[in-house]
Amino acid sequence: MKLDEFAAKIRESDEIVVFTGAGISTESGIPDFRSPGGIWTRYRPVTFQEYMTSEVARIEAWKRRLDGWEQYRAAKPNVGHYFIQALSLKEKLIGLITQNVDGLHSMAGLADDKIVELHGSNRKILCMSCTKEFAPEPIINSLVGDFASPKCDSCGGILKSATVSFGQAMPEQAMRIAQGWTEQAKVFIVMGSSLQVQPAASFPVVAKRNGALLAIINREEGPLDGLADFVHNGSIGEFCGKFGEMIADG
Ligand code: NAD
């Protein structure tokens, strides 16, 4: 399908689901995982089991968080995030399913009931014993010098970012909502995901199987490009800037 056909489809559709990965936030200054210079090229992941049983692993995870902190604090939504919010304003969006934990879709003004964060959020820290919630900033600021991993001020439990680590169960409610939206979608747009992480990468396949038009916007080629009706291999920011105007003009 050509670009103008895809634009026509978006103009006429009010049952769109967008699925985002780390690639939508690189233009906000947050590195993705698998590109050169991405997080996995610099750190080994700490699994949930390691985090819960090893102080050394927890300290490693907090050091990683400290390392990315300034970048994360400075990050603002970009044209890609605003493009999705504009679809919602035009009442075209069933919902946004994201693998990202950076909270930039909310910051762009997308309502909470339009967002499913499959891998949780970095904007909250949780006690793993009593589930008390903490804002990240004071905790990060307390990590100075030769620090111990932070503990809950109510019960002494282990604190952890409210993100889903390797080896940790996917949040059930989020998965249920994402599955429902995917089955309803008439247009399913993937933006900035290498589609290598399961179960997240299965959503576009389910959408396509249910008759949705599948579009993929990603810098690199990916495993589902052959299945998609529309593929654009390039920058999300550039694409959304131009495409947003095309839809608005139509
Ligand atoms: P990924 O790193 O596996 O893939 C990102 C994809 O986006 C790559 O294929 C890359 O080519 C593409 N990309 C990068 N910048 C782009 C741009 N400006 N325009 C178009 N394409 C671009 O990321 P993923 O698929 O989301 O996978 C995995 C995991 O990464 C998820 O579990 C997620 O939780 C985690 N993660 C999240 C963040 C975040 O919240 N911002 C950052 C890093 C990793």
Side-chain angles (χ1 to χ4, degrees):
M1 172 178 289
K2 297 214 181 72
L3 181 67
D4 52 351
E5 290 173 272
F6 179 49
K9 202 78 194 166
I10 295 290
R11 270 190 228 111
E12 79 196 23
S13 180
D14 56 5
E15 289 168 296
I16 301 172
V17 170
V18 182
F19 177 95
T20 61
I24 197 169
S25 294
T26 57
E27 289 169 86
S28 293
I30 300 179
D32 62 9
F33 273 6
R34 291 174 183 80
S35 293
I39 292 161
W40 288 158
T41 62
R42 290 186 290 131
Y43 290 106
R44 176 188 74 88
V46 172
T47 66
F48 184 63
Q49 286 68 21
E50 286 170 328
Y51 192 91
M52 295 308 292
T53 55
S54 156
E55 174 70 0
V56 173
R58 285 193 287 275
I59 289 172
E60 192 180 324
W62 286 108
K63 283 189 172 154
R64 172 191 307 178
R65 189 80 212 267
L66 271 176
D67 193 16
W69 178 247
E70 282 311 319
Q71 232 166 15
Y72 160 87
R73 248 179 22 137
K76 299 272 181 309
N78 65 54
V79 62
H81 301 99
Y82 287 114
F83 169 80
I84 299 165
Q85 189 247 1
L87 290 180
S88 182
L89 282 180
K90 291 179 189 153
E91 301 194 344
K92 290 177 162 301
L93 189 73
I94 295 177
L96 176 270
I97 306 167
T98 188
Q99 299 172 88
N100 294 349
V101 297
D102 56 34
L104 292 181
H105 289 293
S106 304
M107 239 195 250
L110 197 58
D112 284 353
D113 64 357
K114 290 283 182 188
I115 304 178
V116 162
E117 291 175 315
L118 285 177
H119 295 163
S121 170
N122 240 337
R123 307 244 162 216
K124 263 190 307 198
I125 288 172
L126 286 180
C127 172
M128 300 311 286
S129 300
C130 73
T131 71
K132 182 172 174 182
E133 281 186 19
F134 298 80
E137 185 130 16
I139 290 174
I140 298 288
N141 289 342
S142 74
L143 304 177
V144 283
D146 219 1
F147 62 84
S149 71
K151 299 290 183 310
C152 177
D153 61 7
S154 292
C155 77
I158 292 172
L159 298 188
K160 182 179 176 297
S161 286
T163 52
V164 180
S165 302
F166 283 100
Q168 191 171 2
M170 295 290 286
E172 264 175 50
Q173 202 199 0
M175 283 297 287
R176 225 180 9 252
I177 297 170
Q179 182 74 24
W181 285 351
T182 301
E183 287 168 8
Q184 276 177 52
K186 293 281 190 297
V187 178
F188 192 95
I189 310 175
V190 178
M191 296 170 77
S193 176
S194 63
L195 295 173
Q196 286 181 23
V197 181
Q198 289 295 353
S202 65
F203 289 110
V205 178
V206 171
K208 180 73 189 165
R209 203 184 295 140
N210 276 277
L213 181 149
L214 177 63
I216 298 179
I217 297 142
N218 203 59
R219 203 153 56 194
E220 297 165 332
E221 291 176 6
L224 299 184
D225 287 4
L227 193 70
D229 302 280
F230 175 81
V231 178
H232 176 82
N233 290 134
S235 139
I236 291 168
E238 268 173 43
F239 178 84
C240 288
K242 289 184 196 141
F243 194 64
E245 283 172 23
M246 270 179 90
I247 300 170
D249 291 347

